[in-house]
Amino acid sequence: MCKRIFMLLCLSLLLVPAGAQTTSPTALGRQEFPRIEKDGRVTFRIKAPDASGLSVSLGKDYVMSRDAEGVWSATTEPQVEGFHYYSLKVGGLSFTDPAVHTYYGTGRWCSAVEVPERPAAAAFYTPRQGVPQGAVRSVRFYSKVCGEYRRMYVYTPAEYEQNPGKRYPVLYLQHGGGEDETGWIYQGFADVILDNLVADGKAVPMIIVMNSGVAHRAGNPEEDAFEDLITQDVIPLVDKRFRTLADRDHRAVAGLSWGAKQAYDLGLGHRELFSAVGGFSGIIVIGEFNVRNPGFQDPGKFAAAYDGVFRDPKWFNDNYHLLFISTGEAEGSLLSQMSALLRERGIDNVYYASPKTAHEWLSWRRSLYEFAPRLFKW
Amino acid sequence: MCKRIFMLLCLSLLLVPAGAQTTSPTALGRQEFPRIEKDGRVTFRIKAPDASGLSVSLGKDYVMSRDAEGVWSATTEPQVEGFHYYSLKVGGLSFTDPAVHTYYGTGRWCSAVEVPERPAAAAFYTPRQGVPQGAVRSVRFYSKVCGEYRRMYVYTPAEYEQNPGKRYPVLYLQHGGGEDETGWIYQGFADVILDNLVADGKAVPMIIVMNSGVAHRAGNPEEDAFEDLITQDVIPLVDKRFRTLADRDHRAVAGLSWGAKQAYDLGLGHRELFSAVGGFSGIIVIGEFNVRNPGFQDPGKFAAAYDGVFRDPKWFNDNYHLLFISTGEAEGSLLSQMSALLRERGIDNVYYASPKTAHEWLSWRRSLYEFAPRLFKW
């Protein structure tokens, strides 16, 4: 997690005039590269006198050029603001850049660069002196569903340990495809966002539970067991080990991208467990998994989905406190269309679009910042 | 930290007959390589059809050979049991192996392979069902000494939250050179070791505080500020935020390699703060920093060191509850000599040699397992 603190440190120093040249907050210690240029292009540099044919892959491949001392460099096209995974490449082989921290993304430990917001508006996910800090706990547990030891991260708010008699609501929060339970802390700064929101009186103190969304059934590793993992192993364990308010009114679920689908499946499929659902940059999948989502468009399938949760819009609106849908503006209109279609069908929902950002963590930090203050005030 | 849980899982599955072929516990999910052969050799494999001249660097460089499908592989000489950092190399460029988790070591996020103990005796650092778990907390704080936000890990024992009126002793625990505050959790399993020791009634429940040993003075980044960081920022913060027993009798410090030197400097240099010191695979440095340690050999310099802490052996033995020195057997005799020389001079100490292991984490897990049960029973 050292990556995290360096990134936080750098972000806090990044409250610089719009458009200044700066080092990516993902860089290690005293590295100068990757360097974010004034116009959002990113320059990468690596010393490798004996290598040949180096390139950097960030959205597309950029051939690096070698100087007389064997230092290779390349500058990309301008990148949208936010957090982007990338690789260095040689001979078709992708590898991490030793100049930066690694993040679990793309199914492995991977390099990333962060193009800061301009003008800098990062305060909501950077630590502030004087703001009481919650704790992020690493909780190891044996999952009967998966037949294996697993690990979750559990955030408890700063006041949790000062109030041994008080119970708290719980948000279950999922990462995206190729990531794991570390994502919302290292890439997402969920703990910092909540610390700041709570200190500012904007959000109710809550527990946040983060699990890996990759879960295989014990004895049948081809079968996805995520829903059972959460409902049969994780929720009972969290309600036993932490001082939770263990009812649906005090339990929410959210996720991003693939994790948004999982959040919808959990939240809409288990009305007995959850009363609020958030999907960041991801779709409600009804029937076939397809981004155009033909099942979702079909009124019959729509009404039958999730054991009929949408059949009676009044029932839904009375019983679900929040259905929250968000996207990055640069992702296109798919999710605004989904939100509008739900409204047409009488299903209340809150829609948020993150200005200028893409399918990446700045969109999701902002989504959490918009989502969390709406929770548990009903 | 996902690396951690996979490694724990794999270790728990590794209770296999001595000498069986197995995948390194450091490998990602369903990877088969790196593979530990029956005789301790390690086979690495990576698919890279367009690459040329790949090698793997583990102690020395091994040239990889390419098969018809573009899969490169190499098998090393037999390795001693334990945890070893390694790199893949191409054209002189070192990079991480995408098949494994990354660990902060060698000053960057780095690959590692673990050669399991044979016969498997890993139980003390693998989780056991039914053993109550402590929590590992990520604590972000502003250091005035360093002028920056930093992060420490704090382990609290399982019973900590069940006993809101109870206070606990504290062990400050340091990593080695090129590593950071993540080392004792990811590579060292300090939390699992303590959970097991406490559950077995062998160790007193204690808080463990882990900081990065890299600390630069605010305004003067060339000056090492580690001692002031710990004494001026960290200890006061820990004593304020956690329910500690805040006196020297309930405060110990230990570290490994470079961190052992730091632990000796802290523990022997601050008798007002610490009453127990442990050094794993590292020397007490008196005068010149040199592994043969001429200053340490000189009786005059020895007596003057650390403001005279060793001058009166009786005073030392009466006032320090524990001086613990350990090494891996494969590291040679330097530390057994240091222990013997201290005894010759009347300074009580406990010496432990980890069977067969080298300057690596298996030595240090075992050292913690031997050290922790001796703490705080005075």
Side-chain angles (χ1 to χ4, degrees):
Chain A
M1 280 211 259
C2 186
K3 59 193 80 168
R4 234 286 294 268
I5 201 65
F6 279 114
M7 192 155 170
L8 287 170
L9 172 62
C10 297
L11 282 168
S12 65
L13 297 175
L14 271 177
L15 304 171
V16 291
Q21 190 188 58
T22 183
T23 299
S24 171
T26 59
L28 285 176
R30 298 176 185 191
Q31 299 286 337
E32 287 176 48
F33 294 86
R35 189 176 68 198
I36 316 300
E37 310 296 344
K38 294 179 182 179
D39 56 0
R41 291 178 305 150
V42 183
T43 300
F44 296 91
R45 183 172 287 189
I46 185 167
K47 183 158 189 176
D50 300 323
S52 59
L54 279 172
S55 59
V56 57
S57 179
L58 172 53
K60 62 183 245 190
D61 285 2
Y62 298 89
V63 174
M64 302 183 93
S65 57
R66 183 190 191 282
D67 73 10
E69 279 72 45
V71 175
W72 297 75
S73 59
T75 299
T76 68
E77 296 164 4
Q79 303 296 316
V80 296
E81 294 170 5
F83 184 96
H84 308 286
Y85 296 116
Y86 73 95
S87 295
L88 300 181
K89 277 185 166 179
V90 64
L93 189 65
S94 293
F95 60 97
T96 58
D97 183 350
V100 301
H101 289 287
T102 58
Y103 302 84
Y104 198 79
T106 71
R108 62 180 192 166
W109 292 88
C110 178
S111 302
V113 62
E114 171 118 8
V115 178
E117 299 177 78
R118 292 178 170 171
F124 79 88
Y125 54 87
T126 53
R128 303 200 313 257
Q129 287 195 53
V131 168
Q133 289 171 29
V136 177
R137 298 145 195 254
S138 166
V139 177
R140 201 174 355 92
F141 65 103
Y142 187 80
S143 162
K144 287 183 189 167
V145 168
C146 302
E148 63 183 10
Y149 277 98
R150 297 177 64 92
R151 194 266 313 274
M152 58 179 146
Y153 278 175
V154 179
Y155 164 84
T156 50
E159 63 165 58
Y160 184 82
E161 290 171 63
Q162 275 72 57
N163 294 295
K166 186 172 170 184
R167 294 186 164 271
Y168 294 85
V170 185
L171 168 62
Y172 290 81
L173 189 59
Q174 290 302 125
H175 60 83
E179 295 165 343
D180 69 9
E181 73 277 19
T182 63
W184 270 108
I185 301 299
Y186 295 168
Q187 289 98 308
F189 305 128
D191 53 335
V192 185
I193 293 171
L194 263 288
D195 285 347
N196 287 340
L197 282 171
V198 170
D200 293 342
K202 291 179 179 165
V204 172
M206 65 186 79
I207 294 168
I208 304 180
V209 176
M210 293 153 278
N211 276 272
S212 168
V214 178
H216 307 289
R217 176 86 55 199
N220 183 12
E222 299 311 310
E223 186 190 346
D224 179 35
F226 177 71
E227 253 183 80
D228 286 352
L229 166 72
I230 299 296
T231 59
Q232 295 173 26
D233 287 334
V234 171
I235 292 176
L237 175 65
V238 168
D239 285 338
K240 185 178 165 196
R241 188 167 313 176
F242 294 89
R243 297 193 314 275
T244 64
L245 292 160
D247 58 43
R248 74 181 292 278
D249 278 342
H250 299 92
R251 202 181 284 123
V253 59
L256 68 92
S257 192
W258 177 53
K261 180 208 175 282
Q262 294 182 312
Y264 288 131
D265 288 350
L266 274 173
L268 301 173
H270 292 274
R271 65 190 81 173
E272 76 284 7
L273 293 176
F274 298 97
S275 64
V277 192
F280 312 155
S281 301
I283 55 171
I284 299 172
V285 174
I286 296 175
E288 185 189 359
F289 186 75
N290 181 317
V291 287
R292 290 192 311 280
N293 214 343
F296 187 86
Q297 308 279 348
D298 175 323
K301 286 189 181 168
F302 182 78
Y306 297 115
D307 211 18
V309 76
F310 293 138
R311 185 166 288 133
D312 177 354
K314 183 172 183 312
W315 181 90
F316 183 89
N317 297 337
D318 287 348
N319 283 276
Y320 275 83
H321 299 299
L322 178 62
L323 174 59
F324 179 95
I325 294 162
S326 76
T327 191
E329 267 184 6
E331 293 189 78
S333 61
L334 185 72
L335 290 165
S336 75
Q337 289 171 32
M338 187 176 90
S339 164
L341 185 58
L342 284 163
R343 267 200 215 97
E344 274 175 36
R345 295 199 177 142
I347 304 295
D348 290 349
N349 64 86
V350 171
Y351 174 73
Y352 167 72
S354 163
K356 293 192 288 183
T357 57
H359 196 74
E360 53 73 41
W361 280 95
L362 184 52
S363 297
W364 305 323
R365 292 176 204 150
R366 289 175 177 166
S367 294
L368 180 63
Y369 183 72
E370 295 292 326
F371 177 68
R374 300 170 190 272
L375 292 177
F376 309 124
K377 293 179 175 172
W378 33 80
Chain B
M1 281 213 259
C2 186
K3 59 195 78 165
R4 236 288 293 267
I5 200 66
F6 278 116
M7 193 156 169
L8 286 171
L9 172 63
C10 296
L11 283 169
S12 65
L13 296 175
L14 273 178
L15 304 171
V16 291
Q21 191 188 59
T22 182
T23 299
S24 171
T26 59
L28 286 176
R30 299 179 186 189
Q31 299 286 337
E32 287 176 48
F33 294 85
R35 189 177 67 198
I36 317 299
E37 310 297 345
K38 293 179 183 180
D39 57 0
R41 291 177 305 149
V42 184
T43 301
F44 296 91
R45 183 171 289 188
I46 185 168
K47 184 158 189 176
D50 301 323
S52 59
L54 279 173
S55 59
V56 58
S57 180
L58 172 54
K60 59 184 247 190
D61 285 3
Y62 298 90
V63 173
M64 303 183 90
S65 57
R66 183 191 191 281
D67 73 8
E69 278 73 46
V71 175
W72 296 74
S73 58
T75 299
T76 69
E77 296 164 4
Q79 303 296 315
V80 296
E81 295 171 2
F83 184 96
H84 309 285
Y85 297 116
Y86 73 95
S87 295
L88 299 181
K89 278 184 164 181
V90 65
L93 190 66
S94 293
F95 60 97
T96 59
D97 183 350
V100 301
H101 290 287
T102 58
Y103 301 84
Y104 197 78
T106 71
R108 61 179 194 167
W109 291 88
C110 178
S111 302
V113 62
E114 171 120 5
V115 178
E117 298 176 81
R118 291 173 172 175
F124 79 87
Y125 54 86
T126 53
R128 303 200 313 258
Q129 287 196 53
V131 168
Q133 288 171 32
V136 177
R137 299 144 194 255
S138 166
V139 176
R140 202 174 353 91
F141 65 102
Y142 187 81
S143 162
K144 287 182 189 168
V145 169
C146 302
E148 63 182 10
Y149 277 99
R150 297 177 64 92
R151 193 267 312 273
M152 58 180 145
Y153 279 174
V154 179
Y155 164 84
T156 50
E159 64 164 61
Y160 184 83
E161 289 171 63
Q162 274 72 57
N163 293 295
K166 186 172 170 185
R167 294 185 165 271
Y168 294 85
V170 186
L171 168 62
Y172 290 81
L173 189 59
Q174 289 301 125
H175 59 83
E179 296 166 342
D180 69 9
E181 73 276 19
T182 62
W184 270 108
I185 300 301
Y186 295 168
Q187 288 98 307
F189 306 128
D191 53 334
V192 185
I193 293 170
L194 263 289
D195 286 347
N196 287 339
L197 282 172
V198 170
D200 293 342
K202 291 179 179 165
V204 172
M206 65 186 80
I207 294 169
I208 303 180
V209 176
M210 293 153 278
N211 275 271
S212 169
V214 179
H216 307 288
R217 176 88 55 200
N220 183 11
E222 299 310 310
E223 185 190 346
D224 179 36
F226 177 72
E227 255 182 78
D228 285 352
L229 166 72
I230 298 296
T231 58
Q232 295 173 27
D233 287 334
V234 171
I235 292 176
L237 176 64
V238 168
D239 285 337
K240 184 178 166 197
R241 189 166 312 175
F242 294 90
R243 297 193 314 276
T244 63
L245 291 160
D247 58 42
R248 74 182 292 279
D249 279 340
H250 298 93
R251 202 181 283 123
V253 59
L256 68 92
S257 191
W258 178 54
K261 182 210 175 283
Q262 294 182 313
Y264 288 131
D265 288 350
L266 274 173
L268 301 173
H270 293 273
R271 65 190 81 174
E272 76 285 7
L273 293 175
F274 298 98
S275 64
V277 192
F280 312 156
S281 301
I283 54 170
I284 298 172
V285 175
I286 296 175
E288 185 189 357
F289 187 77
N290 179 318
V291 288
R292 289 191 313 278
N293 215 347
F296 188 87
Q297 309 279 349
D298 176 324
K301 285 190 181 167
F302 182 78
Y306 298 115
D307 212 17
V309 76
F310 293 137
R311 185 166 289 134
D312 176 354
K314 183 173 184 311
W315 180 91
F316 184 88
N317 297 337
D318 286 348
N319 282 275
Y320 275 84
H321 299 300
L322 177 63
L323 175 58
F324 180 95
I325 294 163
S326 76
T327 191
E329 267 184 4
E331 294 189 78
S333 62
L334 184 72
L335 290 165
S336 74
Q337 289 170 33
M338 187 175 89
S339 165
L341 185 58
L342 284 163
R343 268 201 213 97
E344 274 174 38
R345 295 201 175 140
I347 304 295
D348 291 348
N349 65 86
V350 172
Y351 175 73
Y352 166 72
S354 164
K356 292 194 286 182
T357 58
H359 196 74
E360 53 73 40
W361 280 95
L362 184 50
S363 297
W364 305 323
R365 291 177 206 150
R366 290 175 178 166
S367 294
L368 180 62
Y369 182 72
E370 296 292 326
F371 177 68
R374 300 170 190 272
L375 292 176
F376 309 125
K377 293 178 175 173
W378 32 79

